[in-house]
Amino acid sequence: MEGFTQYAKLEQEKSQNYTTQIFVDDVLLTTQTFNSDNTVKTVQIPINMIDEGDSIITIKPNNQNVTLYSTLLTREYHTNTEAQPVSRTISLERSYENAKGENYSIGIGDTVIVDFSVSGLKKEDRYFMIEDQLPAGMVPLNEHLDNVSKNDTPDSGYNYVQKEYTKNGIVISDSYINKDGQQHYQYKARVVSGGDYSVPPAQAMLMYMSEIYAHSGSVVIHIDNESQIVSIDGSEVDVSNKKGVLFGNASFQIIAIAIIGLITIGAFVTIWLFRRKS
């Protein structure tokens, strides 16, 4: 009987005619009318009505006995290449490192480790997530695919860490927070093209407490055609004349050639003497 009752209420709501007013920061945006033939409305909110700080969207039906379901969809285009990090209770840091080692620049064909460090969370916090977009010259390595070597992807960690790979990034969700409030996550990407690429900020938040969030700064990533060995201060090292301790200097090269020549001559003399005795 309860099922029939709920169904009757739902059908009654669909057959009712009622209007709904939508406000943005107490400014009336539009008035929409609903009836049995028109139960779904799509309303676009102009970006110039959204305050740079916090805006409030209010939906007021003229009939308080109806159940109204709403979904807010945002489409964002990040164009600020100099966006600074923002911290609201928590903080987020993002870094990139060549899997060959920290003393290598990033080149085409390399594997890059994308690293996130989060601080400021509380032990009782739950359902934390990070969303990240890669630069145009990289694609994520999906560890769930059979054609991706497990050596190419970092450890997935515990079962409560979930990774959802997107076309150009990742969404990481975690239901467990460490006692010290410090969280650390990684994923890997493959470099597919060279150049200079702008990277939008990575975003971190508590899914059910949106006022607790952070995002990293936007950066510009340079990708070489081939990775280079870099010094501690990040500048490239000229390796054209540094092919090792032995062969990095002309005098050492001459000594090396002389030693190899003596060894070769010694081997021929030994063979010749051995043949004469036999």
Side-chain angles (χ1 to χ4, degrees), residues 16-261:
Q16 290 180 354
N17 295 330
Y18 61 92
T19 60
T20 297
Q21 293 180 314
I22 302 176
F23 297 83
V24 179
D25 294 329
D26 297 327
V27 177
L28 179 62
L29 172 63
T30 182
T31 300
Q32 299 291 327
T33 301
F34 295 85
N35 53 48
S36 58
D37 297 326
N38 196 348
T39 60
V40 178
K41 295 283 187 177
T42 300
V43 177
Q44 292 188 358
I45 302 176
I47 191 64
N48 57 6
M49 293 189 68
I50 304 298
D51 188 74
E52 291 184 359
D54 296 326
S55 287
I56 299 176
I57 300 173
T58 306
I59 302 174
K60 295 181 179 180
N62 67 336
N63 186 346
Q64 300 300 322
N65 295 323
V66 299
T67 302
L68 185 66
Y69 301 93
S70 62
T71 300
L72 179 63
L73 175 65
T74 61
R75 295 179 179 177
E76 299 177 332
Y77 299 91
H78 299 276
T79 58
N80 185 2
T81 59
E82 299 180 356
Q84 299 300 311
V86 171
S87 299
R88 297 292 184 268
T89 306
I90 61 176
S91 61
L92 171 67
E93 294 182 0
R94 176 183 60 187
S95 63
Y96 301 88
E97 182 179 316
N98 195 322
K100 295 177 182 178
E102 62 180 359
N103 60 326
Y104 282 86
S105 66
I106 298 175
I108 298 176
D110 289 340
T111 298
V112 173
I113 301 172
V114 186
D115 185 274
F116 304 100
S117 294
V118 184
S119 59
L121 292 166
K122 298 179 180 178
K123 181 67 172 66
E124 59 270 21
D125 289 335
R126 289 291 184 273
Y127 306 111
F128 171 75
M129 67 173 290
I130 293 176
E131 184 175 1
D132 185 52
Q133 306 291 327
L134 289 168
M138 300 183 192
V139 293
L141 284 176
N142 189 338
E143 61 189 25
H144 304 306
L145 298 180
D146 293 336
N147 62 346
V148 175
S149 170
K150 299 304 178 184
N151 294 328
D152 285 336
T153 57
D155 182 28
S156 300
Y158 300 102
N159 293 331
Y160 37 75
V161 177
Q162 302 295 325
K163 295 180 179 179
E164 178 185 349
Y165 292 90
T166 62
K167 183 172 64 173
N168 58 347
I170 195 171
V171 177
I172 301 174
S173 58
D174 194 351
S175 59
Y176 177 84
I177 306 300
N178 296 325
K179 292 182 179 180
D180 60 1
Q182 307 290 321
Q183 303 292 106
H184 185 252
Y185 308 95
Q186 287 184 343
Y187 75 105
K188 289 190 177 183
R190 183 82 70 201
V191 182
V192 295
S193 61
D196 294 322
Y197 300 98
S198 298
V199 191
Q203 302 180 60
M205 70 196 75
L206 290 177
M207 285 183 276
Y208 298 106
M209 298 180 67
S210 57
E211 68 274 13
I212 298 178
Y213 69 95
H215 67 68
S216 65
S218 59
V219 296
V220 176
I221 296 292
H222 175 72
I223 299 176
D224 297 317
N225 290 331
E226 294 182 3
S227 59
Q228 304 288 331
I229 298 177
V230 295
S231 61
I232 297 176
D233 61 3
S235 60
E236 293 186 358
V237 176
D238 183 8
V239 297
S240 59
N241 293 320
K242 297 182 180 180
K243 301 179 181 179
V245 176
L246 181 60
F247 298 101
N249 185 280
S251 59
F252 281 120
Q253 292 177 357
I254 295 173
I255 295 174
I257 294 173
I259 293 174
I260 294 173

